[in-house]
Amino acid sequence: MKRLTKEEALDLIRNADLKELGKMASERKKELHPKGVTTFVVDRNINYTNICWVDCKFCAFYRHEKDEDAYVLSFDEIDAKIDELLEIGGTQILFQGGVHPKLKIEWYEDLVEHIHTKYPTITIHGFSSIEIDFIARVSRISVQEVLARLKAKGLASIPGAGAEILSDKVRDIIAPKKIDSDVWIDIHRQAHKLGIMSTATMMYGTVETDEDIIDHLEMVRSLQDETGGFRAFIMWSFQSDNTELLRQIPDMEKPSSNRYLRLLAVARLYLDNVPNIQSSWVTQGPYIGQMALKFGANDLGSTMMEENVVSSAGAGFTMAKDEMVHLIRDVGEHPAIRNTAYEILERF
Ligand code: SF4
């Protein structure tokens, strides 16, 4: 398939017939995944702290150190969560905080080493580029050193969180203290060069334009051309409940399911070098999550034992393994459990 230009992608977002777009994305998905296997991972989110100084206006999860319900999980509390995950056959923890203002590299090294030593079968998919950037700054070392030291202790993969929209004019409005888009890209570049694979994400539905969305996809595609280090792309819509952004812009419209499916299909077509596209049933609900499989997604994400960040902002769906299997079969595809590297572990 010929690579889409920015202009063509923009035209598809604005003018394409939704059904046609789904067909095009499904054809592209079939080229990449001809056996009709749709995967998911059994994992759990562990938000090791909710203390964060970044104060993103779209976030309802963070607390400041002095808040009554601020927390940093102890190693024992983290262990208890991993024990529960092992009981259901899980293989991955999505490990993310807030961006704690005081914790330095040594604390993170101890933590990663502790988990990796005690639970060698668990893959640590952890620390967004925002956290990595701040660990470097507060510890007065380079980002490269943070990544190398955490990798040496057992960090396997980093999540794409914190990308939101890779446009500084959007970031300046919704998350003015967050790292700039080129810093986000560069941290993933450095991780990939060290052999740490990652995922790319996009949160849309705030103040961005269609052009900003295309620019975001272009930055992801371009880094992927350079490094090949993104395993997957995951996008979701802004979840507005309890957020500062909604207080500031109360008439902000919730993005529709149509918009989600449309953007997902365009992402599948534009990101011709990213093998896996996840459906975000956590934010869109099981039905649209399932529909996404007809719009280019080949992965249903996670069974989500625990999800704090998005649920703080109103997305409260949880889905067990059986339901994932059912949803995948229901659209005529073959369900399979995967690991972080998208290798098949179990078929149904
Ligand atoms: S989205 Fe992340 S970085 Fe931003 S305030 Fe919430 S926890 Fe902090």
Side-chain angles (χ1 to χ4, degrees):
M1 194 189 97
K2 188 179 135 299
R3 182 163 258 199
L4 278 189
T5 63
K6 282 182 166 189
E7 294 69 31
E8 287 166 339
L10 198 56
D11 184 50
L12 288 177
I13 289 181
R14 290 184 175 160
N15 302 316
D17 175 83
L18 186 64
K19 210 169 143 202
E20 273 306 305
L21 203 48
K23 216 170 133 200
M24 287 161 70
S26 291
E27 279 165 14
R28 178 64 190 142
K29 166 179 155 178
K30 214 168 171 188
E31 285 168 21
L32 291 167
H33 303 279
K35 293 184 178 159
V37 174
T38 291
T39 48
F40 61 97
V41 65
V42 180
D43 78 344
R44 88 179 284 172
N45 266 18
I46 299 181
N47 298 117
Y48 59 89
T49 182
N50 62 352
I51 297 173
C52 188
W53 63 269
V54 183
D55 301 347
C56 299
K57 291 181 196 167
F58 59 83
C59 178
F61 169 70
Y62 73 87
R63 297 290 182 272
H64 292 147
E65 259 183 305
K66 287 187 182 148
D67 288 337
E68 253 178 35
D69 51 352
Y71 71 82
V72 179
L73 295 180
S74 67
F75 286 15
D76 285 346
E77 287 169 319
I78 291 169
D79 288 357
K81 289 177 186 291
I82 299 176
D83 287 336
E84 286 171 5
L85 175 66
L86 283 175
E87 271 171 35
I88 61 157
T91 57
Q92 169 184 285
I93 49 173
L94 173 52
F95 203 63
Q96 304 186 106
V99 184
H100 195 289
K102 293 183 185 147
L103 298 176
K104 294 188 180 170
I105 183 69
E106 292 78 13
W107 186 85
Y108 290 92
E109 283 183 306
D110 288 349
L111 177 66
V112 172
E113 184 171 40
H114 166 78
I115 297 170
H116 187 58
T117 309
K118 188 165 180 186
Y119 301 102
T121 62
I122 291 290
T123 301
I124 306 169
H125 176 53
F127 310 119
S128 69
S129 42
I130 321 303
E131 288 158 278
I132 288 164
D133 173 75
F134 193 70
I135 296 167
R137 286 200 270 153
V138 79
S139 311
R140 297 180 184 274
I141 56 176
S142 67
V143 160
Q144 191 187 23
E145 186 175 342
V146 172
L147 289 165
R149 284 171 67 168
L150 293 181
K151 185 185 178 200
K153 298 295 182 189
L155 176 66
S157 167
I158 65 173
E164 327 313 352
I165 291 288
L166 294 170
S167 150
D168 293 337
K169 76 177 159 53
V170 174
R171 302 171 86 73
D172 285 349
I173 297 169
I174 66 172
K177 296 188 209 163
K178 227 169 201 171
I179 56 176
D180 285 350
S181 42
D182 57 348
V183 179
W184 186 96
I185 284 284
D186 196 53
I187 291 172
H188 283 263
R189 176 184 288 115
Q190 294 194 52
H192 298 169
K193 286 187 175 164
L194 286 169
I196 305 171
M197 301 284 272
S198 69
T199 55
T201 64
M202 178 172 85
M203 185 199 75
Y204 69 95
T206 60
V207 297
E208 79 283 340
T209 62
D210 291 344
E211 286 85 350
D212 293 326
I213 286 173
I214 301 299
D215 286 346
H216 179 105
L217 296 178
E218 173 56 31
M219 287 179 91
V220 172
R221 186 169 80 174
S222 167
L223 182 62
Q224 184 74 339
D225 278 345
E226 186 186 326
T227 65
F230 288 127
R231 284 195 173 109
F233 177 76
I234 308 124
M235 51 168 262
W236 60 90
S237 56
F238 168 49
Q239 304 294 304
S240 60
D241 292 2
N242 308 317
T243 63
E244 179 59 25
L245 199 58
L246 186 65
R247 279 187 279 276
Q248 286 185 5
I249 315 176
D251 56 352
M252 183 176 270
E253 273 182 33
K254 281 200 174 179
S256 66
S257 300
N258 179 314
R259 175 95 173 148
Y260 174 74
L261 295 173
R262 180 172 289 275
L263 294 181
L264 188 82
V266 172
R268 169 55 89 190
L269 295 168
Y270 197 84
L271 298 176
D272 56 0
N273 52 5
V274 177
N276 301 297
I277 305 268
Q278 270 186 34
S279 150
S280 178
W281 63 264
V282 179
T283 55
Q284 309 305 312
Y287 177 65
I288 296 300
Q290 182 190 43
M291 286 289 287
L293 301 178
K294 294 287 181 195
F295 284 79
N298 65 297
D299 187 273
L300 260 193
S302 158
T303 45
M304 284 284 178
M305 268 184 84
E306 181 175 26
E307 209 298 320
N308 291 318
V309 179
V310 177
S311 60
S312 303
F317 301 101
T318 55
M319 198 174 348
K321 194 160 86 177
D322 291 350
E323 197 180 350
M324 300 283 256
V325 169
H326 167 73
L327 289 176
I328 295 167
R329 282 208 178 118
D330 201 33
V331 293
E333 297 189 348
H334 309 295
I337 293 180
R338 65 164 171 88
N339 61 15
T340 312
Y342 284 77
E343 296 159 341
I344 304 290
L345 301 179
E346 185 182 351
R347 291 175 195 276
F348 297 89

PDB file of all heavy atoms in Angstrom, residues 239-262:
ATOM      1  N   GLN A 239     -11.113  11.867  28.942  1.00  0.00           N
ATOM      2  CA  GLN A 239     -12.178  11.537  29.901  1.00  0.00           C
ATOM      3  C   GLN A 239     -12.296  12.725  30.854  1.00  0.00           C
ATOM      4  O   GLN A 239     -11.398  12.963  31.664  1.00  0.00           O
ATOM      5  CB  GLN A 239     -11.819  10.258  30.667  1.00  0.00           C
ATOM      6  CG  GLN A 239     -11.538   9.071  29.762  1.00  0.00           C
ATOM      7  CD  GLN A 239     -12.773   8.628  28.990  1.00  0.00           C
ATOM      8  OE1 GLN A 239     -13.811   8.326  29.565  1.00  0.00           O
ATOM      9  NE2 GLN A 239     -12.662   8.604  27.671  1.00  0.00           N
ATOM     10  N   SER A 240     -13.370  13.455  30.745  1.00  0.00           N
ATOM     11  CA  SER A 240     -13.370  14.798  31.326  1.00  0.00           C
ATOM     12  C   SER A 240     -13.825  14.900  32.783  1.00  0.00           C
ATOM     13  O   SER A 240     -13.529  15.901  33.444  1.00  0.00           O
ATOM     14  CB  SER A 240     -14.265  15.698  30.473  1.00  0.00           C
ATOM     15  OG  SER A 240     -15.590  15.179  30.459  1.00  0.00           O
ATOM     16  N   ASP A 241     -14.522  13.893  33.327  1.00  0.00           N
ATOM     17  CA  ASP A 241     -15.097  14.042  34.670  1.00  0.00           C
ATOM     18  C   ASP A 241     -14.023  14.433  35.691  1.00  0.00           C
ATOM     19  O   ASP A 241     -12.929  13.876  35.691  1.00  0.00           O
ATOM     20  CB  ASP A 241     -15.737  12.729  35.139  1.00  0.00           C
ATOM     21  CG  ASP A 241     -16.971  12.379  34.323  1.00  0.00           C
ATOM     22  OD1 ASP A 241     -17.292  13.137  33.395  1.00  0.00           O
ATOM     23  OD2 ASP A 241     -17.584  11.337  34.610  1.00  0.00           O
ATOM     24  N   ASN A 242     -14.371  15.342  36.564  1.00  0.00           N
ATOM     25  CA  ASN A 242     -13.507  15.764  37.675  1.00  0.00           C
ATOM     26  C   ASN A 242     -12.190  16.412  37.236  1.00  0.00           C
ATOM     27  O   ASN A 242     -11.221  16.420  37.980  1.00  0.00           O
ATOM     28  CB  ASN A 242     -13.149  14.581  38.602  1.00  0.00           C
ATOM     29  CG  ASN A 242     -14.376  13.828  39.060  1.00  0.00           C
ATOM     30  OD1 ASN A 242     -15.374  14.442  39.409  1.00  0.00           O
ATOM     31  ND2 ASN A 242     -14.319  12.503  39.045  1.00  0.00           N
ATOM     32  N   THR A 243     -12.117  16.911  36.032  1.00  0.00           N
ATOM     33  CA  THR A 243     -10.850  17.493  35.593  1.00  0.00           C
ATOM     34  C   THR A 243     -10.907  19.025  35.578  1.00  0.00           C
ATOM     35  O   THR A 243     -11.972  19.628  35.393  1.00  0.00           O
ATOM     36  CB  THR A 243     -10.463  17.028  34.167  1.00  0.00           C
ATOM     37  OG1 THR A 243     -11.457  17.488  33.255  1.00  0.00           O
ATOM     38  CG2 THR A 243     -10.330  15.521  34.081  1.00  0.00           C
ATOM     39  N   GLU A 244      -9.744  19.622  35.760  1.00  0.00           N
ATOM     40  CA  GLU A 244      -9.616  21.071  35.720  1.00  0.00           C
ATOM     41  C   GLU A 244      -9.996  21.614  34.336  1.00  0.00           C
ATOM     42  O   GLU A 244     -10.611  22.670  34.207  1.00  0.00           O
ATOM     43  CB  GLU A 244      -8.159  21.433  36.057  1.00  0.00           C
ATOM     44  CG  GLU A 244      -7.831  22.907  36.031  1.00  0.00           C
ATOM     45  CD  GLU A 244      -8.663  23.727  37.007  1.00  0.00           C
ATOM     46  OE1 GLU A 244      -9.146  23.164  38.007  1.00  0.00           O
ATOM     47  OE2 GLU A 244      -8.862  24.933  36.740  1.00  0.00           O
ATOM     48  N   LEU A 245      -9.635  20.835  33.309  1.00  0.00           N
ATOM     49  CA  LEU A 245      -9.913  21.289  31.940  1.00  0.00           C
ATOM     50  C   LEU A 245     -11.421  21.461  31.720  1.00  0.00           C
ATOM     51  O   LEU A 245     -11.856  22.432  31.101  1.00  0.00           O
ATOM     52  CB  LEU A 245      -9.323  20.281  30.938  1.00  0.00           C
ATOM     53  CG  LEU A 245      -9.119  20.785  29.518  1.00  0.00           C
ATOM     54  CD1 LEU A 245      -8.213  22.014  29.469  1.00  0.00           C
ATOM     55  CD2 LEU A 245      -8.511  19.686  28.646  1.00  0.00           C
ATOM     56  N   LEU A 246     -12.199  20.534  32.255  1.00  0.00           N
ATOM     57  CA  LEU A 246     -13.651  20.653  32.107  1.00  0.00           C
ATOM     58  C   LEU A 246     -14.173  21.851  32.909  1.00  0.00           C
ATOM     59  O   LEU A 246     -15.090  22.546  32.480  1.00  0.00           O
ATOM     60  CB  LEU A 246     -14.353  19.367  32.557  1.00  0.00           C
ATOM     61  CG  LEU A 246     -15.867  19.345  32.314  1.00  0.00           C
ATOM     62  CD1 LEU A 246     -16.194  19.362  30.818  1.00  0.00           C
ATOM     63  CD2 LEU A 246     -16.526  18.134  32.956  1.00  0.00           C
ATOM     64  N   ARG A 247     -13.560  22.090  34.061  1.00  0.00           N
ATOM     65  CA  ARG A 247     -13.982  23.263  34.848  1.00  0.00           C
ATOM     66  C   ARG A 247     -13.694  24.547  34.061  1.00  0.00           C
ATOM     67  O   ARG A 247     -14.461  25.495  34.079  1.00  0.00           O
ATOM     68  CB  ARG A 247     -13.266  23.283  36.202  1.00  0.00           C
ATOM     69  CG  ARG A 247     -13.903  22.354  37.233  1.00  0.00           C
ATOM     70  CD  ARG A 247     -13.287  22.513  38.619  1.00  0.00           C
ATOM     71  NE  ARG A 247     -12.050  21.790  38.746  1.00  0.00           N
ATOM     72  CZ  ARG A 247     -11.943  20.489  39.054  1.00  0.00           C
ATOM     73  NH1 ARG A 247     -13.033  19.776  39.272  1.00  0.00           N
ATOM     74  NH2 ARG A 247     -10.768  19.917  39.158  1.00  0.00           N
ATOM     75  N   GLN A 248     -12.562  24.549  33.347  1.00  0.00           N
ATOM     76  CA  GLN A 248     -12.190  25.751  32.589  1.00  0.00           C
ATOM     77  C   GLN A 248     -12.997  25.898  31.297  1.00  0.00           C
ATOM     78  O   GLN A 248     -13.276  26.999  30.857  1.00  0.00           O
ATOM     79  CB  GLN A 248     -10.700  25.699  32.230  1.00  0.00           C
ATOM     80  CG  GLN A 248      -9.818  25.977  33.434  1.00  0.00           C
ATOM     81  CD  GLN A 248      -8.337  26.038  33.066  1.00  0.00           C
ATOM     82  OE1 GLN A 248      -7.962  25.971  31.911  1.00  0.00           O
ATOM     83  NE2 GLN A 248      -7.494  26.159  34.070  1.00  0.00           N
ATOM     84  N   ILE A 249     -13.314  24.755  30.691  1.00  0.00           N
ATOM     85  CA  ILE A 249     -14.085  24.794  29.432  1.00  0.00           C
ATOM     86  C   ILE A 249     -15.310  23.900  29.617  1.00  0.00           C
ATOM     87  O   ILE A 249     -15.374  22.777  29.126  1.00  0.00           O
ATOM     88  CB  ILE A 249     -13.235  24.290  28.231  1.00  0.00           C
ATOM     89  CG1 ILE A 249     -11.825  24.885  28.247  1.00  0.00           C
ATOM     90  CG2 ILE A 249     -13.940  24.598  26.902  1.00  0.00           C
ATOM     91  CD1 ILE A 249     -10.892  24.372  27.161  1.00  0.00           C
ATOM     92  N   PRO A 250     -16.339  24.391  30.391  1.00  0.00           N
ATOM     93  CA  PRO A 250     -17.446  23.509  30.779  1.00  0.00           C
ATOM     94  C   PRO A 250     -18.303  23.026  29.609  1.00  0.00           C
ATOM     95  O   PRO A 250     -18.978  22.002  29.717  1.00  0.00           O
ATOM     96  CB  PRO A 250     -18.269  24.357  31.751  1.00  0.00           C
ATOM     97  CG  PRO A 250     -17.740  25.731  31.678  1.00  0.00           C
ATOM     98  CD  PRO A 250     -16.416  25.719  30.998  1.00  0.00           C
ATOM     99  N   ASP A 251     -18.281  23.753  28.493  1.00  0.00           N
ATOM    100  CA  ASP A 251     -19.127  23.313  27.379  1.00  0.00           C
ATOM    101  C   ASP A 251     -18.362  22.412  26.407  1.00  0.00           C
ATOM    102  O   ASP A 251     -18.832  22.154  25.292  1.00  0.00           O
ATOM    103  CB  ASP A 251     -19.728  24.519  26.641  1.00  0.00           C
ATOM    104  CG  ASP A 251     -18.642  25.475  26.152  1.00  0.00           C
ATOM    105  OD1 ASP A 251     -17.457  25.274  26.523  1.00  0.00           O
ATOM    106  OD2 ASP A 251     -18.976  26.411  25.405  1.00  0.00           O
ATOM    107  N   MET A 252     -17.225  21.907  26.849  1.00  0.00           N
ATOM    108  CA  MET A 252     -16.439  21.021  25.991  1.00  0.00           C
ATOM    109  C   MET A 252     -17.253  19.760  25.673  1.00  0.00           C
ATOM    110  O   MET A 252     -17.796  19.115  26.561  1.00  0.00           O
ATOM    111  CB  MET A 252     -15.172  20.645  26.752  1.00  0.00           C
ATOM    112  CG  MET A 252     -14.216  19.800  25.974  1.00  0.00           C
ATOM    113  SD  MET A 252     -12.724  19.550  26.955  1.00  0.00           S
ATOM    114  CE  MET A 252     -11.764  20.929  26.427  1.00  0.00           C
ATOM    115  N   GLU A 253     -17.325  19.437  24.394  1.00  0.00           N
ATOM    116  CA  GLU A 253     -18.129  18.274  23.996  1.00  0.00           C
ATOM    117  C   GLU A 253     -17.343  16.985  24.134  1.00  0.00           C
ATOM    118  O   GLU A 253     -16.152  16.951  23.822  1.00  0.00           O
ATOM    119  CB  GLU A 253     -18.549  18.424  22.535  1.00  0.00           C
ATOM    120  CG  GLU A 253     -19.822  19.197  22.386  1.00  0.00           C
ATOM    121  CD  GLU A 253     -20.246  19.288  20.934  1.00  0.00           C
ATOM    122  OE1 GLU A 253     -19.994  18.350  20.173  1.00  0.00           O
ATOM    123  OE2 GLU A 253     -20.822  20.335  20.595  1.00  0.00           O
ATOM    124  N   LYS A 254     -18.018  15.920  24.586  1.00  0.00           N
ATOM    125  CA  LYS A 254     -17.363  14.615  24.631  1.00  0.00           C
ATOM    126  C   LYS A 254     -17.192  14.104  23.211  1.00  0.00           C
ATOM    127  O   LYS A 254     -18.157  14.127  22.434  1.00  0.00           O
ATOM    128  CB  LYS A 254     -18.208  13.616  25.415  1.00  0.00           C
ATOM    129  CG  LYS A 254     -18.080  13.790  26.895  1.00  0.00           C
ATOM    130  CD  LYS A 254     -18.492  12.539  27.653  1.00  0.00           C
ATOM    131  CE  LYS A 254     -18.169  12.787  29.116  1.00  0.00           C
ATOM    132  NZ  LYS A 254     -18.456  11.813  30.039  1.00  0.00           N
ATOM    133  N   PRO A 255     -15.998  13.620  22.842  1.00  0.00           N
ATOM    134  CA  PRO A 255     -15.847  13.089  21.487  1.00  0.00           C
ATOM    135  C   PRO A 255     -16.761  11.884  21.289  1.00  0.00           C
ATOM    136  O   PRO A 255     -16.956  11.073  22.198  1.00  0.00           O
ATOM    137  CB  PRO A 255     -14.373  12.665  21.427  1.00  0.00           C
ATOM    138  CG  PRO A 255     -13.710  13.275  22.606  1.00  0.00           C
ATOM    139  CD  PRO A 255     -14.772  13.519  23.635  1.00  0.00           C
ATOM    140  N   SER A 256     -17.322  11.774  20.091  1.00  0.00           N
ATOM    141  CA  SER A 256     -18.274  10.691  19.813  1.00  0.00           C
ATOM    142  C   SER A 256     -17.550   9.381  19.516  1.00  0.00           C
ATOM    143  O   SER A 256     -16.348   9.364  19.227  1.00  0.00           O
ATOM    144  CB  SER A 256     -19.124  11.068  18.603  1.00  0.00           C
ATOM    145  OG  SER A 256     -18.281  11.123  17.456  1.00  0.00           O
ATOM    146  N   SER A 257     -18.314   8.289  19.549  1.00  0.00           N
ATOM    147  CA  SER A 257     -17.762   6.985  19.163  1.00  0.00           C
ATOM    148  C   SER A 257     -17.383   6.991  17.692  1.00  0.00           C
ATOM    149  O   SER A 257     -16.400   6.373  17.285  1.00  0.00           O
ATOM    150  CB  SER A 257     -18.791   5.890  19.426  1.00  0.00           C
ATOM    151  OG  SER A 257     -19.111   5.861  20.781  1.00  0.00           O
ATOM    152  N   ASN A 258     -18.165   7.690  16.888  1.00  0.00           N
ATOM    153  CA  ASN A 258     -17.856   7.823  15.465  1.00  0.00           C
ATOM    154  C   ASN A 258     -16.449   8.411  15.294  1.00  0.00           C
ATOM    155  O   ASN A 258     -15.632   7.904  14.523  1.00  0.00           O
ATOM    156  CB  ASN A 258     -18.926   8.746  14.836  1.00  0.00           C
ATOM    157  CG  ASN A 258     -18.695   8.992  13.350  1.00  0.00           C
ATOM    158  OD1 ASN A 258     -17.577   9.277  12.934  1.00  0.00           O
ATOM    159  ND2 ASN A 258     -19.757   8.916  12.559  1.00  0.00           N
ATOM    160  N   ARG A 259     -16.166   9.446  16.030  1.00  0.00           N
ATOM    161  CA  ARG A 259     -14.851  10.100  15.951  1.00  0.00           C
ATOM    162  C   ARG A 259     -13.735   9.126  16.362  1.00  0.00           C
ATOM    163  O   ARG A 259     -12.691   9.075  15.734  1.00  0.00           O
ATOM    164  CB  ARG A 259     -14.852  11.322  16.870  1.00  0.00           C
ATOM    165  CG  ARG A 259     -13.519  12.042  16.987  1.00  0.00           C
ATOM    166  CD  ARG A 259     -13.430  13.187  16.035  1.00  0.00           C
ATOM    167  NE  ARG A 259     -12.237  13.982  16.246  1.00  0.00           N
ATOM    168  CZ  ARG A 259     -11.606  14.600  15.255  1.00  0.00           C
ATOM    169  NH1 ARG A 259     -12.046  14.517  14.017  1.00  0.00           N
ATOM    170  NH2 ARG A 259     -10.541  15.319  15.501  1.00  0.00           N
ATOM    171  N   TYR A 260     -13.990   8.360  17.412  1.00  0.00           N
ATOM    172  CA  TYR A 260     -12.979   7.390  17.859  1.00  0.00           C
ATOM    173  C   TYR A 260     -12.672   6.387  16.747  1.00  0.00           C
ATOM    174  O   TYR A 260     -11.510   6.147  16.402  1.00  0.00           O
ATOM    175  CB  TYR A 260     -13.469   6.663  19.121  1.00  0.00           C
ATOM    176  CG  TYR A 260     -12.532   5.558  19.552  1.00  0.00           C
ATOM    177  CD1 TYR A 260     -11.322   5.852  20.159  1.00  0.00           C
ATOM    178  CD2 TYR A 260     -12.837   4.222  19.307  1.00  0.00           C
ATOM    179  CE1 TYR A 260     -10.433   4.844  20.518  1.00  0.00           C
ATOM    180  CE2 TYR A 260     -11.963   3.207  19.657  1.00  0.00           C
ATOM    181  CZ  TYR A 260     -10.771   3.529  20.271  1.00  0.00           C
ATOM    182  OH  TYR A 260      -9.890   2.532  20.619  1.00  0.00           O
ATOM    183  N   LEU A 261     -13.710   5.826  16.166  1.00  0.00           N
ATOM    184  CA  LEU A 261     -13.507   4.802  15.133  1.00  0.00           C
ATOM    185  C   LEU A 261     -12.843   5.405  13.895  1.00  0.00           C
ATOM    186  O   LEU A 261     -11.984   4.798  13.270  1.00  0.00           O
ATOM    187  CB  LEU A 261     -14.847   4.154  14.777  1.00  0.00           C
ATOM    188  CG  LEU A 261     -15.496   3.368  15.930  1.00  0.00           C
ATOM    189  CD1 LEU A 261     -16.897   2.911  15.544  1.00  0.00           C
ATOM    190  CD2 LEU A 261     -14.645   2.164  16.345  1.00  0.00           C
ATOM    191  N   ARG A 262     -13.241   6.603  13.565  1.00  0.00           N
ATOM    192  CA  ARG A 262     -12.669   7.304  12.403  1.00  0.00           C
ATOM    193  C   ARG A 262     -11.163   7.535  12.601  1.00  0.00           C
ATOM    194  O   ARG A 262     -10.346   7.237  11.733  1.00  0.00           O
ATOM    195  CB  ARG A 262     -13.423   8.640  12.273  1.00  0.00           C
ATOM    196  CG  ARG A 262     -13.010   9.549  11.155  1.00  0.00           C
ATOM    197  CD  ARG A 262     -14.015  10.701  11.079  1.00  0.00           C
ATOM    198  NE  ARG A 262     -15.299  10.240  10.572  1.00  0.00           N
ATOM    199  CZ  ARG A 262     -15.601  10.124   9.277  1.00  0.00           C
ATOM    200  NH1 ARG A 262     -14.724  10.480   8.365  1.00  0.00           N
ATOM    201  NH2 ARG A 262     -16.766   9.674   8.890  1.00  0.00           N
TER     202      ARG A 262
END
